[in-house]
Structure formats: structure tokens, C-alpha cells
Amino acid sequence: MIKKLQLPLQTMNLVLGFMVWVIISALLPFIREDIAIPADRLAILTAIPVVLGSVLRIPLGYYANVVGARIVFISSFILLLFPVYFISAASSFTHLVIGGLFLGIGGAVFSVGVTSLPKYYAKEKLGLVNGIYGMGNIGTAITTFAAPVIATQIGWSKTVQLYLILLLIFALLNVFLGDRKETKVKTPVMEQIKGVYKNEKLWFFSLFYFITFGSFVAFTVYLPNFLVSHFELAKVDAGMRTAGFIMIATFLRPVGGWLADRFKPLFLLMGVFLGLTVAAILLAFSPSIGLYTAGCLTIAVGAGLGNGVIFKLVPFYFNKQAGIVNGIVSMMGGLGGFFPPLMLSFIHSATGQYSIGFMALSQVALASFVVVVWMYYQDKLAVQSEVFNSTGQGILVTDPSGRISAVNPAFTKLTGYSEEEVLGKNPSVLKSGRQSSAFYRAMWSEIMERGSWQGEIWNRRKNGEEYLELLTINAVRDESGDIIHYVGTFSDITYHSSGNASSG
């Protein structure tokens, strides 16, 4: 029963974490009425929780494996009591900076669930599970829209103090409903980092999440003001449209995970990045409100689906190091939510428009599409290489002129020759001398006519020992019909056959 509760419990934990994470930015208009905050420092104040909330995702993801999600969530909510109370009593910009720094814990808890929840479900369900958990980022929307409404009634300070009650309630919920028997993984953190940092997939996934989650945050931040200033919409209308963007991106996250469980995730990512590329190019030309809405909705769909697909891929490729990898990838996503809004603001202040920023997004999305295509074909090659290297039969590949270009480990085991010793040489190095020239002429005549040959043949190992092998040779042709390789597969049948040495 406790295990079944972990998905809804941890998802609600994430909702609360994200609600607390954005307290300052949501209530800033009210806070500025009581505390003098220079205009040039507003960006710093809202960015500080984002930065720490991103960086802390690595240790929290790691410790979710070491001590379990229950302990990490309880500790996080108790620790958050102090900065939340400190902010409610703040009387200066410095107080807000100190309190805001530690609010980052609320955003960091994201890496806890994506590390813990895969332990409870089969691999084919991880996309949907992590997608449902990821919907917890709707907590930012809840605070953004609910906190100002409450603050108009009771003031911003008491509104912040209400979060103390929620943190205490959820700390207790995790005490009683958290899983005390969760599987622990106690690999030292530096050992885990050393095991993954050279893997290019870690950095590719980080780039992908930087773009998809960064797009989500950037549009959430910039849409309300842009729709009012550029299209002269009413503030309420702009707020509703932004809320629609957030809801679409959030609820499509589990859909992305669910689709990734059923189809090839890399194919889905190709579609995501193509969609983001086209939408960003459309927005760069500052179209009418109708086309602008279509472009923004496409960004929402791409960001939501992409976020879901990426956290299907992480446990799929990094099963044993999921904690640290989830921490790094989600950290990069958090930073992706920090830098694009600042970049858009800078570009707008310098040029008076957002076009350059949107074109930059389109080019980064297009580059990501190319990387995903490359990853897809690399995976196919990796599978082929694994089959080639793990098969029990000896395999020998030559170029059209008969020079050896590749052999597999079974070839070395059967013949005694290493790959370095035979590369570039003719397969005649294996000849035993038992077969006549007529035998070889007939064999090659059949290969040229039919494209393949199979028969028994005597060959010689490196140590001089002769053995009987069952050999199959196939000619590999390109699309124009020209032979590009000959592939020979063989097995030792010396003790299993008394057949004629020249049968074919």
C-alpha cells in the first residue's frame, strides 16, 4: 500500500516545492510597496532561488539514492521553514536575498522523485511515471496566480507565512506515508560522477532539457508583459493566455512520457525539436495575434512533450547512475529556466524586440534535432557492433579486393590471430593447403553468381593446428549493385563432422 502511494505523494511534494520556490517573484509587486528594491536588482532577486534550486539538484538526487526519498523530502521541507519565515519578516533587500537563496531547496527537490520513483515501476512505464511526477511544476503556476490574490486580502507577509503550515503538513505526511523500505544505492558520489561525466549522452540530455524546460520558463516569464505591451491585451487576458500556455506544457509532460514508453523516444525528440524550430522562426517575424498564438501553443506542446520524453531516456541509458544523472540533467534544465529569460530581456532592451532571441532559439533547436538524429544512428550502430562482437561464430569482413577490414572476438578465439595481426591481409593467411585451386575457383564462381557460398573447408590456426570449419561467405552490395564487402562467418566443426574437405 505504501509503495502505491509514492507517486501521488511525491508529485504533491514537488507541487509544494515549486510553490515555495517562486514565492518572491510572485509577490514582488506587493513586497516592493514595503521594501525599497532598485529596479536594476530585480532580476538578481528573482534569479537567486533559480540558481541554487538548480545546483542543489545534484546532491539531492544523489542522497535520494543513499537515504531514500522520504528522508530527503522531510529534511527539505523542515529546512525550508527557516527561509520562508525569514522572508515573511524581511525588512531589507539583503534579507530577501538571503531568504531567496535558501528557497532554492524547493526547486531542487525535483531530482528526488525522478531518482526514487523508477525503483517502483517497470522500465516500460518510466516515461509515464516521470511525466506524471513532472506535472508537479504546476506549483509555480499555483503560487504565481494564487499568492497575489491572497496577498490583496491579508498582506504579503501573512501570505508567505501560510506556506509554513503547508510545509509542516507535508513534512508530517512524508513521516507517515513515505516509504521507509525504499531500495538504497550507496555508490560514492565521486565514483558515480566519474562513471558518467565522459558519456556524451549525459551532456546531450542536459542540452535537450536546457532547451525544453528553458523554453517553458522563458515563455511563462515573458508572455504576460509582451502580450500587454505588443498586442495591447488586457492584463487579465494576457494572464489567462499565459496560464493556458503553462497548463498545456504541464499536462503534456506525462503524455510525452507515455508516448516514449510506446514508441522510439529519439524519434519523438526529433519531432519536438523540429516543432520548436518552426515555431521559433514563426515568432521571430512578429506575426499577427492569431499566428503568434499558434507559435506559442506549438512551443508549449514541444516543451511539454520534450520534458516528458527526456526523463524516460535518463533511467533507460543510466540505470545504475540514475540519481546523479537526474541531478545533473535537471540542474541544466533549471539553469535553462534562468538564462533564456535574462537573454530575452537583454535583447529586448538592446533592440526593442524579441526577434533575435527567437531566431537563436530556432537555431539551437535545429542543432538539437541534428544531434538527436546522430544519436539515433549511433544507437543502431552500437546494436550492430554488439551483435558483431558477442556472436559465438567467427566473423571476417573484407573489402572488394579481399583485404581483411574487420574481425570479431570469436575469430581471434577460433584462429589465434588478433585483429591487429590480420587487418589489411588476405584471408589466405588461414589456408591449410588441403584445398585445390579448382576448389577455390568453384567457390568464388558460386559467390559471383549467387551472392553466397556455404561449405566445409580446412584452415590453419596461428599455432599451425589444422581444423575443419563450416564456412558461409556472402557478398554485400550497395544500392547500385556493386560489391562493397565480403562477409565470412564460420564455426569449428572438427570434432562434429567427418565430411569431405572440399564439399560445397
Side-chain angles (χ1 to χ4, degrees):
M1 179 63 183
I2 288 292
K3 289 184 177 182
K4 290 182 178 179
L5 286 174
Q6 296 315 297
L7 179 56
L9 176 64
Q10 293 190 29
T11 301
M12 291 307 299
N13 287 342
L14 183 62
V15 171
L16 177 59
F18 272 49
M19 286 173 65
V20 173
W21 196 22
V22 294
I23 286 175
I24 290 179
S25 59
L27 293 173
L28 204 51
F30 298 88
I31 295 172
R32 291 185 72 188
E33 293 176 2
D34 295 332
I35 301 174
I37 304 172
D40 60 343
R41 294 190 178 184
L42 287 175
I44 296 174
L45 193 57
T46 55
I48 282 175
V50 176
V51 174
L52 194 70
S54 302
V55 175
L56 280 178
R57 289 179 176 189
I58 295 178
L60 261 63
Y62 170 72
Y63 282 109
N65 258 338
V66 175
V67 300
R70 175 178 174 270
I71 298 297
V72 179
F73 276 123
I74 293 170
S75 302
S76 298
F77 292 152
I78 291 174
L79 287 172
L80 279 169
L81 291 171
F82 298 98
V84 170
Y85 179 76
F86 190 74
I87 289 168
S88 74
S91 58
S92 70
F93 174 76
T94 304
H95 291 167
L96 292 173
V97 169
I98 295 170
L101 181 66
F102 293 99
L103 281 186
I105 298 169
V109 297
F110 175 82
S111 62
V112 180
V114 291
T115 300
S116 168
L117 290 171
K119 299 173 185 177
Y120 299 96
Y121 298 90
K123 263 193 172 183
E124 54 271 17
K125 291 185 178 179
L126 294 186
L128 176 61
V129 169
N130 278 336
I132 292 171
Y133 174 73
M135 287 176 66
N137 65 23
I138 201 171
T140 58
I142 293 173
T143 287
T144 300
F145 295 106
V149 174
I150 298 171
T152 57
Q153 303 298 317
I154 63 173
W156 69 267
S157 181
K158 289 184 179 178
T159 301
V160 172
Q161 290 173 6
L162 290 177
Y163 287 83
L164 297 172
I165 300 171
L166 289 174
L167 287 167
L168 285 170
I169 290 172
F170 272 81
L172 288 172
L173 282 175
N174 282 275
V175 168
F176 295 110
L177 300 180
D179 185 8
R180 299 168 186 267
K181 299 179 181 179
E182 179 182 334
T183 305
K184 312 294 194 300
V185 180
K186 297 191 177 181
T187 309
V189 64
M190 289 310 298
E191 188 177 318
Q192 285 199 30
I193 291 175
K194 286 178 182 178
V196 300
Y197 83 95
K198 290 184 179 178
N199 190 327
E200 70 272 8
K201 287 186 175 64
L202 166 65
W203 305 112
F204 289 152
F205 294 158
S206 296
L207 168 66
F208 300 157
Y209 198 56
F210 183 93
I211 295 166
T212 56
F213 190 72
S215 298
F216 167 73
V217 175
F219 275 76
T220 300
V221 170
Y222 113 96
L223 268 179
N225 181 61
F226 179 82
L227 291 174
V228 172
S229 61
H230 189 75
F231 291 110
E232 298 181 350
L233 299 182
K235 290 181 180 179
V236 174
D237 189 7
M240 292 301 291
R241 288 172 184 263
T242 305
F245 177 92
I246 293 171
M247 298 294 280
I248 290 171
T250 299
F251 287 110
L252 280 179
R253 188 164 186 151
V255 175
W258 177 80
L259 289 172
D261 286 335
R262 282 155 179 76
F263 305 102
K264 293 180 179 179
L266 293 178
F267 268 160
L268 295 171
L269 273 186
M270 290 179 204
V272 164
F273 288 122
L274 273 181
L276 291 177
T277 301
V278 173
I281 291 173
L282 174 64
L283 294 176
F285 288 97
S286 300
S288 63
I289 185 66
L291 288 175
Y292 204 89
T293 300
C296 288
L297 290 178
T298 304
I299 297 285
V301 171
L305 292 177
N307 289 338
V309 173
I310 290 163
F311 280 97
K312 161 69 176 184
L313 288 168
V314 170
F316 185 82
Y317 284 100
F318 297 95
N319 188 30
K320 293 182 179 178
Q321 306 100 345
I324 200 73
V325 173
N326 278 321
I328 293 171
V329 173
S330 58
M331 176 194 74
M332 294 303 293
L335 293 176
F338 169 63
F339 286 109
L342 291 183
M343 185 186 75
L344 280 172
S345 298
F346 172 76
I347 290 171
H348 185 262
S349 64
T351 66
Q353 54 186 339
Y354 294 99
S355 297
I356 296 174
F358 290 133
M359 285 305 295
L361 172 60
S362 72
Q363 297 311 297
V364 175
L366 183 60
S368 299
F369 168 76
V370 173
V371 171
V372 176
V373 172
W374 179 82
M375 285 180 64
Y376 175 74
Y377 284 103
Q378 282 292 107
D379 275 4
K380 289 188 71 174
L381 289 173
V383 171
Q384 293 169 5
S385 176
E386 190 174 334
V387 171
F388 181 79
N389 290 323
S390 62
T391 184
Q393 285 189 308
I395 301 176
L396 177 153
V397 182
T398 75
D399 61 22
S401 65
R403 300 293 175 184
I404 297 173
S405 57
V407 297
N408 71 340
F411 172 94
T412 298
K413 185 177 180 181
L414 290 167
T415 68
Y417 287 100
S418 67
E419 185 176 27
E420 292 76 16
E421 290 174 311
V422 296
L423 284 181
K425 295 185 178 179
N426 193 283
S428 59
V429 296
L430 301 172
K431 269 188 176 181
S432 66
R434 288 204 189 193
Q435 284 78 222
S436 65
S437 298
F439 168 82
Y440 288 110
R441 283 197 299 271
M443 180 183 77
W444 283 105
S445 175
E446 188 171 332
I447 293 171
M448 293 297 103
E449 183 181 335
R450 299 183 181 179
S452 65
W453 177 90
Q454 185 179 63
E456 296 175 5
I457 186 171
W458 284 96
N459 270 337
R460 192 188 305 273
R461 304 187 210 276
K462 182 181 178 181
N463 63 7
E465 177 188 354
E466 292 183 352
Y467 67 99
L468 183 64
E469 70 181 32
L470 177 63
L471 172 66
T472 300
I473 300 176
N474 289 289
V476 180
R477 301 177 185 271
D478 61 17
E479 293 177 355
S480 62
D482 295 328
I483 294 174
I484 53 174
H485 293 295
Y486 294 104
V487 179
T489 58
F490 62 94
S491 52
D492 186 349
I493 58 169
T494 307
Y495 302 107
H496 304 286
S497 174
S498 57
N500 191 303
S502 60
S503 62

